[in-house]
Amino acid sequence: MTATGTVRAIHIALEQGAPMERVEQVTAVARRGLEGDRYYATEGTFADREGSDLTLIETEALAAVERDYGISLAPGLHRRNLTTAGIALNHLVGERFRVGEVVCEGIELCEPCSYLERHLAKEGTREALVHRGGLRARILDDGIVTAGDSIERIDQHTATHD
């Protein structure tokens, strides 16, 4: 995978435990989250965790989980906001990157939790997603994220954002 990728899908949940809803476009608000999402309203399971503004997961990781564990996670069931393709999200921990017009910073891997496994009622999901569960990110600049937007790492030496 390269240093650029694409947003394949956007999902938000209005409140904790609510089904994820697919949207084509969403407003990202710095240090808050995606408008309409449970974390924007500080109601998510991990609302007090740094980097819960935005969560991302790779289509490639989802395909590997299905291949290696026989677990298929339909769009949105993974409970991450953005489903991506073509970019290694694990490499963005501690890095700044742009999703469309929105600048973000990778905070930590979004390792699977027991809540996700219980919510899905699919035994083995937690184990299958270890180191494949995606990325937690902080939103640094407000903007719009649209399905199909590019995702690219920002060169730290040329970044102008503080």
Side-chain angles (χ1 to χ4, degrees):
M1 281 184 262
T2 64
T4 60
T6 306
V7 174
R8 286 285 178 93
I10 303 168
H11 288 88
I12 59 173
L14 299 176
E15 57 191 29
Q16 182 179 341
M20 298 292 283
E21 296 179 24
R22 187 171 182 155
V23 296
E24 289 303 308
Q25 189 175 73
V26 68
T27 300
V29 179
R31 302 192 188 282
R32 181 99 187 256
L34 303 179
E35 283 187 1
D37 188 60
R38 65 215 184 271
Y39 288 104
Y40 182 84
T42 65
E43 292 181 9
T45 303
F46 300 103
D48 58 347
R49 178 182 257 167
E50 179 67 22
S52 292
D53 296 355
L54 178 67
T55 56
L56 305 90
I57 193 166
E58 301 168 25
T59 55
E60 296 86 352
L62 296 171
V65 165
E66 185 167 5
R67 179 191 68 232
D68 297 347
Y69 291 87
I71 297 173
S72 177
L73 298 175
L77 281 182
H78 46 66
R79 313 240 2 120
R80 307 298 186 253
N81 298 123
L82 303 183
T83 306
T84 69
I87 190 159
L89 296 176
N90 288 12
H91 297 173
L92 294 178
V93 173
E95 301 290 331
R96 289 192 179 176
F97 60 97
R98 187 178 310 279
V99 180
E101 61 185 39
V102 178
V103 175
C104 302
E105 179 179 20
I107 300 301
E108 64 182 358
L109 296 183
C110 193
E111 295 292 14
C113 60
S114 56
Y115 171 83
L116 179 63
E117 191 165 73
R118 283 191 316 271
H119 184 78
L120 294 176
K122 290 186 179 190
E123 190 70 31
T125 301
R126 186 175 183 179
E127 178 186 343
L129 285 171
V130 169
H131 305 313
R132 296 176 171 167
L135 178 70
R136 289 186 190 285
R138 178 185 304 125
I139 298 169
L140 301 178
D141 291 332
D142 298 353
I144 303 295
V145 176
T146 303
D149 277 352
S150 65
I151 304 168
E152 56 189 21
R153 185 179 171 276
I154 298 172
D155 184 349
Q156 303 292 16
H157 302 292
T158 61
T160 58
H161 183 87
D162 290 324

